[in-house]
Each structure stands twice: as C-alpha cells, then as structure tokens.
Amino acid sequence: MTITPFSFTTVSEIHVQWEGSARLGELLAERFDARNLLLVTDRGLIEAGLIAPVQAALTQAGFGVTLFDDVVADPPEAVVRACAEMARSEKIDIVLGLGGGSSLDIAKLVAVMIGSDQDLSTMYGIGNVAGARVPLALVPTTAGTGSEVTNISIITTGETTKMGVVSRQLYADFVLLDASLTVGLPQVHTAATGIDAMVHAIEAYTSKHKKNPLSDALAREALRLLGANLITACQDGTNRAAREAMLLGATLAGQAFSNAPVAAVHALAYPLGGHYHLPHGLTNALMLGPVLRYNATAAAPLYGELADVMGVAGSGDAQARSEAFVRHIEALMDASGAPRRLRDVGVTDNSLSMLARDAMKQTRLLVNNPVEVTEDDALSLYREAF
Ligand SMILES: NC(=O)c1ccc[n+]([C@@H]2O[C@H](COP(=O)([O-])OP(=O)(O)OC[C@H]3O[C@@H](n4cnc5c(N)ncnc54)[C@H](O)[C@@H]3O)[C@@H](O)[C@H]2O)c1
Ligand SMILES: [Fe+2]
C-alpha cells in the first residue's frame, strides 16, 4: 500500500524518569541558559506537597523562581492575563508548567504572551499565534489530557463556552514524565483523566481526515498501555508500574491526537463541561459509551483492530470485533468507579436539547467523526447517556 502524504509534529524532547522531578533543576539547567523561571501551577498541587521539592531543586540549580499558583480547573481568560502580567513584571525568561491540563495550558499560552503584544482574543483558532515564545518546559501531574505534548490550550471564554488556541508555538521544548507525581491523584480523578486519555487514543485512531501511520502507531500503543493499567491505577494508586504506564499512555495519546484530532466524544463532552462545570475527563467518560455504539458499524474495521490491540477475547468478523471492543471499554469504565450516567452528576433532562444545540458548534471536532452527527443525533446520544 502506498502512503498518503502526511506531516507529524511533536515536542522536542521527552524525559521519562520516576522521581525525575527531584532532578528538574539540573535537567533544565543543562538545557537552557535562562534562569528567571515562572512556575505555573494550582493550589491543590501545593497542598498535595508536590511543588515545594521542585522549587527547592530549581533554586539549588541556580534558578530564580516566581510562583504563579492561581490556576483553576477549566481556567478563564482572566487567569491567563494575570499570569502573563506577573511574568512580564518579573522579567521571566523561562516558563515551567507543573500540574494537570489546566496548569499546562496556561503555561503554554503565557510563554508566548510574555514577549508579544498580541492580544489573547486574537489567538483563538488554528495557527493564529504570531511571534516566538520563551523556553517552555512542562511536567504533567495527571495522566489524561496529554497537554504536555499538544499544541493546544483550552480556555474558558464565557459563562459556558471554551475556546482553543492551536499553534505550533505551543509545543514545549522539554517535557518530563515523572509518574511519582501522579501517585496522590484521587481515584475518581485517576479514572476520569485516564478515560479522557483513552478517548484521545480512540478518536485519533478513527479521526477522519488526518489519521496517519505515526498517529496510528502512537494511538495503538497508548490504548494498549491505558487499557491494561486503568483499573490497577484506580484501585491501587501507589502501584508504580500502573502509574508509569498510564502517564506514558496519556502522553502517547496526546501525541496522536495533536496530529489526528479528536471527534464526537469531545464535541458532546464540551457543552457538559460548559453548562455543568464537570471535569473534562468525566464529561468524556459520560459520552464515550453512546458515541462508541453510534460509531460501531461505520468504524467497525478500526474498532476491531483496537479490540486486538487491547487483547479483547473472542473472534468473528469486523462487526463482531467492533461490538466486543465497545463492550470491553464499557466494562473498563464500569470497573473504574467513574460516574456513568448524566443524571448521576446533576444534569437535568430538560437541558438535553440545549446541550445538543451547543454541541453542533464544535464543527472543528465533529468533522473528524467517522459518522456524521446531526443535532437530532446529538440529542439521541445525550438521551442515551442520561
Ligand atoms: N491542551 C490540551 O491538549 C488539552 C486536552 C484536553 C483537555 N485540556 C484541558 O485540560 C483541563 C483539564 O485538565 P486535568 O483533567 O488534567 O485537570 P486539572 O488540571 O483541571 O486539575 C484538576 C484537579 O486535580 C488536581 N490535581 C492534579 N494533579 C494532581 C495530583 N497529582 N495529585 C493531587 N491532585 C492533583 C488539581 O489540583 C485540580 O484541583 C481542562 O481545562 C481541559 O479543557 C487540554
Ligand atoms: Fe480530552
């Protein structure tokens, strides 16, 4: 078979090391000349005790460290602007994001805003960031969003809406995967963020326009790692091998979907996050089952391949394997302990048509789905998830 032309982009360097964050000072000092560092994180991580040792390691290695810890989940524009302002007034010349997707997304944007007078409002969309950024290092503490290796920052722009900045400048220079940082992540976050990562792998593998041999290879290996370790990581958060596999899997899935974008699960998840302020991973977990069943016939050959990748027992034609894949994913979600129905997380019956209307705005994502989703289809999918 011949290869359809494609491009693949990712970050420059990924360093994988259990407890590597204790060495972050020397790792960064070896690679960058800049020494006036902004550490972007949220208060939950400070309370979890994850930040102080890193700060000490950075200071030890000769960095001046300014701490910005005002990141909140699903960060609004005001947080980005406040962080950029602090960075400018402190004359920051290197940015380190340490935390979940929310902290990393802010760090990425601020690294480009420091030296630029471009207003944030003109950066949304694809390829709209002008200019260069200061050096950027990212250290994830959830195994979920893959933000450490994507060129995307997601910002809450209104009461109920989120917008994405997608630009090559948002690819970091250096990523550290230290799974020891994820050990204290509570079970429900482990489940939801882990399922988010699985959705990235599945949606990248079936992405209609940009899937390619590299994104496929990454998505397959990501799903193999995530599927085999999700339940162990949820049930025993201190299991090192499971935590390492989940973090690596989430990063590989991030590399995949940064090049082969996600689709209907994410399109239907975003309105739930917007209107009900539910965590991103959880909203994906809630919509995954219905969307997989909706796609199962059109995507049968690909879902069948993923069944093999995950070692799902049984045999049969592509349709049978596709159905077995969907059942396997649902069983994993049941065992993970993540909430499974919209009604269980406070979503009301009478909001479903509004959610369906909002989901239609996610055209950037819907075009990647293996099957077209109309507003009526979206409503049926929300009803099924209810
Ligand atoms: N840039 C991308 O490519 C991309 C992709 C998907 C989602 N996102 C965005 O990422 C955000 C969600 O990120 P997230 O799911 O990683 O969660 P998060 O960053 O919003 O963090 C959620 C909570 O978990 C806590 N936490 C994080 N790590 C912890 C740890 N190791 N131990 C204890 N507590 C910990 C945080 O303090 C916070 O309270 C959303 O804004 C979403 O839109 C970005
Ligand atoms: Fe996601």
Side-chain angles (χ1 to χ4, degrees):
M1 214 167 79
T2 59
I3 293 178
T4 308
F6 73 95
S7 301
F8 182 90
T9 320
T10 192
V11 299
S12 310
E13 184 181 1
I14 301 174
H15 182 80
V16 182
Q17 184 176 18
W18 181 262
E19 293 179 347
S21 57
R23 294 185 52 221
L24 193 56
E26 55 183 288
L27 290 170
L28 296 186
E30 281 166 9
R31 288 163 175 80
F32 303 103
D33 296 329
R35 288 292 178 272
N36 198 13
L37 179 143
L38 180 71
L39 201 176
V40 180
T41 189
D42 71 44
R43 247 162 253 142
L45 292 164
I46 294 186
E47 281 155 24
L50 297 183
I51 301 302
V54 172
Q55 239 176 320
L58 291 165
T59 310
Q60 176 87 36
F63 287 92
V65 180
T66 301
L67 181 67
F68 181 87
D69 62 0
D70 280 338
V71 175
V72 292
D74 306 306
E77 280 189 337
V79 171
V80 188
R81 293 187 197 280
C83 186
E85 203 162 301
M86 179 187 265
R88 288 194 192 106
S89 72
E90 295 295 329
K91 308 220 171 349
I92 293 301
D93 56 13
I94 175 168
V95 175
L96 166 64
L98 200 163
S102 301
S103 296
L104 305 189
D105 282 2
I106 300 290
K108 288 155 77 172
L109 267 181
V110 166
V112 298
M113 287 168 75
I114 288 177
S116 154
D117 50 16
Q118 186 184 1
D119 192 75
L120 175 58
S121 61
T122 65
M123 293 184 181
Y124 296 110
I126 300 173
N128 294 328
V129 173
R133 57 156 174 75
V134 300
L136 172 66
L138 300 173
V139 183
T141 64
T142 60
T145 69
S147 174
E148 65 277 8
V149 288
T150 72
N151 58 346
I152 309 165
S153 284
I154 309 279
I155 301 301
T156 301
T157 50
E159 265 310 296
T160 60
T161 49
K162 280 185 164 190
M163 281 166 77
V165 178
V166 184
S167 249
R168 63 180 167 75
Q169 291 92 331
L170 301 188
Y171 280 120
D173 299 305
F174 179 74
V175 172
L176 170 67
L177 299 185
D178 171 3
S180 76
L181 297 173
T182 68
V183 163
L185 192 66
Q187 177 187 350
V188 61
H189 278 319
T190 302
T193 52
I195 293 167
D196 183 29
M198 292 175 66
V199 177
H200 296 156
I202 296 167
E203 295 210 291
Y205 199 68
T206 57
S207 196
K208 209 163 172 182
H209 302 292
K210 291 194 176 165
K211 94 187 222 91
N212 62 68
L214 274 179
S215 68
D216 283 349
L218 289 159
R220 276 195 298 265
E221 178 62 2
L223 199 59
R224 190 186 70 76
L225 288 165
L226 296 163
N229 290 280
L230 176 72
I231 304 309
T232 310
C234 288
Q235 291 174 348
D236 174 13
T238 63
N239 185 306
R240 172 174 168 173
R243 289 295 195 183
E244 289 189 317
M246 290 302 291
L247 187 56
L248 184 59
T251 297
L252 300 184
Q255 291 181 297
F257 90 85
S258 195
N259 290 276
V262 292
V265 181
H266 275 76
L268 296 182
Y270 277 129
L272 287 169
H275 288 282
Y276 289 99
H277 301 289
L278 299 166
H280 173 78
L282 174 58
T283 57
N284 274 296
L286 292 163
M287 296 315 300
L288 179 57
V291 174
L292 286 182
R293 285 193 293 274
Y294 180 77
N295 290 344
T297 300
L302 296 174
Y303 284 179
E305 286 169 23
L306 292 180
D308 295 346
V309 163
M310 296 184 85
V312 177
S315 58
D317 62 9
Q319 186 61 32
R321 294 299 285 156
S322 174
E323 283 160 20
F325 168 73
V326 176
R327 282 195 302 276
H328 181 73
I329 296 284
E330 299 223 272
L332 276 181
M333 288 197 288
D334 286 339
S336 76
R340 299 284 284 115
R341 306 207 67 86
L342 297 184
R343 70 181 74 188
D344 298 337
V345 296
V347 176
T348 57
D349 202 0
N350 61 8
S351 70
L352 302 185
S353 40
M354 168 191 72
L355 294 170
R357 207 163 43 243
D358 264 23
M360 286 302 107
K361 295 180 193 152
Q362 301 290 336
T363 44
R364 173 176 77 89
L365 304 179
L366 288 170
V367 294
N368 303 314
N369 204 57
V371 193
E372 192 194 347
V373 180
T374 66
E375 191 172 330
D376 281 348
D377 300 326
L379 182 56
S380 308
L381 289 164
Y382 283 122
R383 286 218 176 95
E384 206 177 314
F386 187 73

Short mmCIF file of all heavy atoms in Angstrom, two decimals, residues 9-10 112 126-133 150-152 166-172:
data_model
loop_
_atom_site.label_atom_id
_atom_site.label_comp_id
_atom_site.label_asym_id
_atom_site.label_seq_id
_atom_site.Cartn_x
_atom_site.Cartn_y
_atom_site.Cartn_z
N THR A 9 3.99 16.36 13.94
CA THR A 9 4.74 17.31 14.77
C THR A 9 4.57 16.95 16.23
O THR A 9 3.50 16.51 16.64
CB THR A 9 4.23 18.74 14.55
OG1 THR A 9 3.94 18.93 13.18
CG2 THR A 9 5.25 19.76 14.99
N THR A 10 5.63 17.15 17.00
CA THR A 10 5.50 16.95 18.45
C THR A 10 6.55 17.79 19.17
O THR A 10 7.22 18.61 18.55
CB THR A 10 5.58 15.44 18.80
OG1 THR A 10 5.17 15.25 20.16
CG2 THR A 10 6.97 14.88 18.59
N VAL A 112 4.11 32.31 25.26
CA VAL A 112 4.10 33.11 24.02
C VAL A 112 3.68 34.55 24.28
O VAL A 112 4.06 35.45 23.53
CB VAL A 112 3.20 32.53 22.90
CG1 VAL A 112 3.67 31.17 22.46
CG2 VAL A 112 1.74 32.49 23.30
N ILE A 126 -6.93 28.16 14.77
CA ILE A 126 -5.77 27.38 14.36
C ILE A 126 -4.73 28.27 13.68
O ILE A 126 -5.05 28.97 12.71
CB ILE A 126 -6.21 26.23 13.42
CG1 ILE A 126 -7.21 25.32 14.16
CG2 ILE A 126 -5.00 25.43 12.94
CD1 ILE A 126 -7.85 24.26 13.31
N GLY A 127 -3.52 28.25 14.22
CA GLY A 127 -2.40 28.94 13.57
C GLY A 127 -2.44 30.45 13.66
O GLY A 127 -1.86 31.14 12.82
N ASN A 128 -3.10 30.99 14.66
CA ASN A 128 -3.23 32.45 14.76
C ASN A 128 -2.22 33.11 15.71
O ASN A 128 -2.27 34.32 15.90
CB ASN A 128 -4.64 32.83 15.19
CG ASN A 128 -5.65 32.47 14.11
OD1 ASN A 128 -5.33 32.50 12.93
ND2 ASN A 128 -6.84 32.08 14.51
N VAL A 129 -1.34 32.33 16.33
CA VAL A 129 -0.34 32.93 17.22
C VAL A 129 0.83 33.43 16.37
O VAL A 129 1.40 32.67 15.59
CB VAL A 129 0.16 31.91 18.27
CG1 VAL A 129 1.30 32.50 19.08
CG2 VAL A 129 -0.98 31.49 19.18
N ALA A 130 1.15 34.71 16.54
CA ALA A 130 2.29 35.28 15.81
C ALA A 130 3.47 35.37 16.77
O ALA A 130 3.26 35.54 17.97
CB ALA A 130 1.92 36.65 15.28
N GLY A 131 4.66 35.27 16.26
CA GLY A 131 5.82 35.52 17.11
C GLY A 131 6.31 34.29 17.85
O GLY A 131 5.69 33.23 17.82
N ALA A 132 7.44 34.50 18.54
CA ALA A 132 8.12 33.39 19.21
C ALA A 132 7.74 33.36 20.68
O ALA A 132 7.03 34.23 21.17
CB ALA A 132 9.62 33.56 19.06
N ARG A 133 8.20 32.37 21.39
CA ARG A 133 7.95 32.32 22.83
C ARG A 133 9.27 32.11 23.56
O ARG A 133 10.29 31.78 22.96
CB ARG A 133 6.98 31.20 23.18
CG ARG A 133 7.42 29.82 22.72
CD ARG A 133 6.80 28.72 23.52
NE ARG A 133 7.16 27.42 22.95
CZ ARG A 133 8.34 26.86 23.06
NH1 ARG A 133 9.31 27.46 23.73
NH2 ARG A 133 8.59 25.70 22.50
N THR A 150 0.75 18.49 23.34
CA THR A 150 -0.11 19.03 22.27
C THR A 150 0.21 20.49 22.03
O THR A 150 0.85 21.15 22.84
CB THR A 150 -1.62 18.90 22.61
OG1 THR A 150 -1.96 19.83 23.65
CG2 THR A 150 -1.99 17.49 23.04
N ASN A 151 -0.27 20.97 20.89
CA ASN A 151 -0.09 22.38 20.52
C ASN A 151 -1.37 23.16 20.80
O ASN A 151 -1.70 24.10 20.09
CB ASN A 151 0.28 22.48 19.03
CG ASN A 151 -0.78 21.84 18.13
OD1 ASN A 151 -1.64 21.11 18.61
ND2 ASN A 151 -0.70 22.11 16.85
N ILE A 152 -2.09 22.72 21.84
CA ILE A 152 -3.42 23.27 22.13
C ILE A 152 -3.47 23.82 23.55
O ILE A 152 -2.94 23.21 24.47
CB ILE A 152 -4.49 22.15 22.02
CG1 ILE A 152 -4.35 21.39 20.70
CG2 ILE A 152 -5.89 22.72 22.20
CD1 ILE A 152 -5.11 20.08 20.67
N VAL A 166 -4.70 26.90 18.99
CA VAL A 166 -3.95 25.79 18.40
C VAL A 166 -2.83 26.39 17.55
O VAL A 166 -3.11 27.05 16.55
CB VAL A 166 -4.86 24.90 17.51
CG1 VAL A 166 -4.09 23.69 16.99
CG2 VAL A 166 -6.11 24.46 18.26
N SER A 167 -1.59 26.19 17.97
CA SER A 167 -0.48 26.81 17.25
C SER A 167 0.82 26.08 17.53
O SER A 167 1.02 25.58 18.64
CB SER A 167 -0.33 28.28 17.68
OG SER A 167 -0.69 29.14 16.62
N ARG A 168 1.70 26.06 16.55
CA ARG A 168 2.95 25.30 16.71
C ARG A 168 3.79 25.82 17.87
O ARG A 168 4.53 25.06 18.50
CB ARG A 168 3.76 25.29 15.41
CG ARG A 168 4.21 26.67 14.99
CD ARG A 168 5.01 26.73 13.71
NE ARG A 168 5.09 28.11 13.28
CZ ARG A 168 5.86 29.04 13.84
NH1 ARG A 168 6.67 28.71 14.83
NH2 ARG A 168 5.84 30.29 13.44
N GLN A 169 3.68 27.12 18.20
CA GLN A 169 4.48 27.67 19.31
C GLN A 169 4.13 27.01 20.64
O GLN A 169 4.88 27.12 21.61
CB GLN A 169 4.25 29.18 19.45
CG GLN A 169 4.79 30.03 18.33
CD GLN A 169 3.76 30.27 17.25
OE1 GLN A 169 2.88 29.45 17.03
NE2 GLN A 169 3.88 31.39 16.55
N LEU A 170 2.98 26.34 20.72
CA LEU A 170 2.57 25.75 21.99
C LEU A 170 3.20 24.37 22.23
O LEU A 170 2.99 23.76 23.28
CB LEU A 170 1.04 25.66 22.08
CG LEU A 170 0.30 27.00 21.97
CD1 LEU A 170 -1.19 26.82 22.26
CD2 LEU A 170 0.87 28.06 22.90
N TYR A 171 3.96 23.88 21.26
CA TYR A 171 4.74 22.66 21.52
C TYR A 171 5.92 23.03 22.42
O TYR A 171 6.71 23.92 22.09
CB TYR A 171 5.27 22.06 20.22
CG TYR A 171 4.26 21.25 19.45
CD1 TYR A 171 3.90 21.60 18.16
CD2 TYR A 171 3.69 20.11 20.01
CE1 TYR A 171 2.98 20.84 17.43
CE2 TYR A 171 2.76 19.36 19.30
CZ TYR A 171 2.42 19.71 18.02
OH TYR A 171 1.52 18.97 17.32
N ALA A 172 6.06 22.32 23.52
CA ALA A 172 7.10 22.65 24.50
C ALA A 172 8.49 22.25 24.01
O ALA A 172 8.63 21.45 23.08
CB ALA A 172 6.80 21.95 25.82
#
